[in-house]
Amino acid sequence: MDIKVTKNPNPQPKPDENNLGFGLTYTDHMFLMDYNREEGWHNARIVPFGPLPIHPAAVVLHYATEVFEGLKAYRTADGAVQLFRPIENVRRMNNSAERMCLPTLDEDDAMQAILEFVKLEEDFVPHKDGTSLYIRPYMFASEANLGLHGIKEAVFAIIASPSGSYYAEGINPVSIMIETEDVRAVRGGTGFAKCGGNYACSTRAGERAEKLGYSQVLWLDGVHQKYVEEVGSMNVMFKINGKIITPDLIGTVLPGITRKSILEVLREEGYEIEERRISVDEIIEALENGELEEAWGCGTAAVISPVGKLAYNGKVYVINDCKIGELTQHLYDTLTGIQWGKLPDTHNWIVKL
Ligand code: PLP
Ligand code: COI
């Protein structure tokens, strides 16, 4: 694929690495590519970062026909830049696109777009410990049409944001509220897809939880409101009596790349793993019996985040004295070790620029 590059004539100074926050500043350029039914994907280009022209009747603005991804570029000690399992993001984006009737991307073209774009923005990959360049590929239906029909025009874009920790807590335990009112996904719906609508409908519960001092909500299944699914931006895992238990992927949970990687590491280390439905009653019982040893969320933005407090129906349960557990710390060290090139990449997960 030929990517036309137009350099930004007004490059910005790099943001202060000590105060990055998450997703607040952007790099100098963006990648764009157009789709229509006649030409397929065409006009791949990297242009100066700036507003996108959009028709007021564009399908995405009315019907939320949009999917996205999130991955990071990491700066290693020798100054090089590397990505973590980017092909997994490309494949998941295509799965999400299929669910939303958006056109899929050629895997090689999408990888080329990510790599060429990040290479151009390499200087924006921060150096400070725990920071990275968060990369956001996304796709939306751009045609003007208020009718509900198959998508005829779309845009694929990539932007990037030098970022620090997702939670203000960093690696310190977060407090999570189990959501008992709203639901995020049902079987046959879009739970497994990374589409904007899943996040829009989650915002209300998230805001309610934040007002009460919690970082995010833990979603329960949409039918019985009984089985644990995932946290707003993370998959969730529990260590109960030495066993690792995590909700299985039955279409309502995002198949996290961090989740998949952690399960591979845990399996290699000989842990017993159960991917299955886990009821909130089982969690509460394990908490009350002292059998719930550790709980953590995992995701690209959040990395691995210990859960220190879990609130359910007005009661607050403390996990592991609200301290990071031994296994959570080990998984954090292992994963971030591979991502930042401090540990050998024995799984072939790393793609160097
Ligand atoms: N679940 C949701 C809802 C998410 O938004 C994310 C973040 O991408 C995850 C789980 C974790 O997925 P991954 O590890 O691929 O980032
Ligand atoms: C990610 O981890 O990449 C996410 O998509 C989380 C996002 C909602 C901030």
Side-chain angles (χ1 to χ4, degrees), residues 79-100:
V81 172
Q82 58 187 34
L83 305 176
F84 182 74
R85 310 189 83 173
I87 190 68
E88 296 285 339
N89 294 94
V90 168
R91 291 186 179 142
R92 187 171 62 189
M93 183 143 182
N94 274 341
N95 284 340
S96 303
E98 259 176 29
R99 178 63 184 84
M100 305 303 287

Side-chain angles (χ1 to χ4, degrees), residues 69-136:
E69 271 305 324
L71 68 159
K72 287 173 171 173
Y74 306 87
R75 171 92 53 198
T76 59
D78 60 1
V81 172
Q82 58 187 34
L83 305 176
F84 182 74
R85 310 189 83 173
I87 190 68
E88 296 285 339
N89 294 94
V90 168
R91 291 186 179 142
R92 187 171 62 189
M93 183 143 182
N94 274 341
N95 284 340
S96 303
E98 259 176 29
R99 178 63 184 84
M100 305 303 287
C101 284
L102 280 162
T104 53
L105 295 156
D106 176 90
E107 283 185 8
D108 292 337
D109 287 351
M111 281 293 289
Q112 182 193 347
I114 293 169
L115 288 168
E116 279 192 35
F117 170 66
V118 177
K119 181 103 201 112
L120 186 74
E121 303 296 56
E122 197 175 338
D123 289 348
F124 278 94
V125 181
H127 299 74
K128 198 172 172 253
D129 239 18
T131 62
S132 57
L133 181 68
Y134 183 75
I135 306 159
R136 171 57 60 87

Side-chain angles (χ1 to χ4, degrees), residues 22 68-72 89 92 134-136 166 194 199 216 232-234 254 258 298-303:
F22 179 84
F68 69 98
E69 271 305 324
L71 68 159
K72 287 173 171 173
N89 294 94
R92 187 171 62 189
Y134 183 75
I135 306 159
R136 171 57 60 87
Y166 182 64
K194 211 163 164 58
Y199 297 80
Q216 276 192 3
S233 61
M234 307 189 286
L254 192 80
T258 320
C298 58
T300 300
V303 195

Side-chain angles (χ1 to χ4, degrees), residues 13-21 25 126 128 131 162:
K14 306 292 174 284
D16 173 8
E17 291 194 6
N18 296 309
N19 289 303
L20 288 173
T25 56
K128 198 172 172 253
T131 62

Side-chain angles (χ1 to χ4, degrees), residues 6-251:
T6 309
K7 284 271 179 78
N8 191 331
N10 301 306
Q12 331 153 47
K14 306 292 174 284
D16 173 8
E17 291 194 6
N18 296 309
N19 289 303
L20 288 173
F22 179 84
L24 300 173
T25 56
Y26 306 94
T27 63
D28 283 335
H29 300 90
M30 57 190 181
F31 173 90
L32 295 173
M33 180 158 71
D34 301 320
Y35 171 90
N36 63 40
R37 284 200 182 163
E38 298 70 44
E39 296 166 280
W41 287 110
H42 62 283
N43 196 15
R45 58 205 188 275
I46 291 173
V47 295
F49 187 89
L52 296 172
I54 192 153
H55 194 287
V59 172
V60 64
L61 297 181
H62 301 268
Y63 308 122
T65 313
E66 187 265 359
V67 298
F68 69 98
E69 271 305 324
L71 68 159
K72 287 173 171 173
Y74 306 87
R75 171 92 53 198
T76 59
D78 60 1
V81 172
Q82 58 187 34
L83 305 176
F84 182 74
R85 310 189 83 173
I87 190 68
E88 296 285 339
N89 294 94
V90 168
R91 291 186 179 142
R92 187 171 62 189
M93 183 143 182
N94 274 341
N95 284 340
S96 303
E98 259 176 29
R99 178 63 184 84
M100 305 303 287
C101 284
L102 280 162
T104 53
L105 295 156
D106 176 90
E107 283 185 8
D108 292 337
D109 287 351
M111 281 293 289
Q112 182 193 347
I114 293 169
L115 288 168
E116 279 192 35
F117 170 66
V118 177
K119 181 103 201 112
L120 186 74
E121 303 296 56
E122 197 175 338
D123 289 348
F124 278 94
V125 181
H127 299 74
K128 198 172 172 253
D129 239 18
T131 62
S132 57
L133 181 68
Y134 183 75
I135 306 159
R136 171 57 60 87
Y138 59 109
M139 188 196 293
F140 57 90
S142 53
E143 77 210 58
N145 190 344
L146 295 181
L148 280 169
H149 305 287
I151 302 307
K152 296 194 192 72
E153 287 173 25
V155 173
F156 172 54
I158 309 173
I159 57 173
S161 170
S163 290
S165 177
Y166 182 64
Y167 294 118
E169 289 91 337
I171 178 71
N172 294 321
V174 291
S175 302
I176 302 284
M177 192 173 102
I178 299 180
E179 173 61 27
T180 50
E181 222 170 288
D182 293 355
V183 297
R184 174 186 176 276
V186 290
R187 237 192 241 222
T190 59
F192 69 89
K194 211 163 164 58
C195 60
N198 286 347
Y199 297 80
C201 75
S202 302
T203 308
R204 182 170 76 171
E207 290 207 338
R208 276 197 303 245
E210 268 182 34
K211 272 201 195 117
L212 294 171
Y214 297 93
S215 298
Q216 276 192 3
V217 301
L218 174 59
W219 294 105
L220 298 180
D221 75 280
V223 178
H224 311 94
Q225 288 197 270
K226 180 173 174 193
Y227 299 101
V228 167
E229 300 224 303
E230 63 184 324
V231 181
S233 61
M234 307 189 286
N235 294 110
V236 68
M237 297 187 184
F238 302 92
K239 182 165 176 255
I240 300 179
N241 267 339
K243 258 192 281 186
I244 312 304
I245 307 175
T246 191
D248 48 355
L249 304 175
I250 53 168

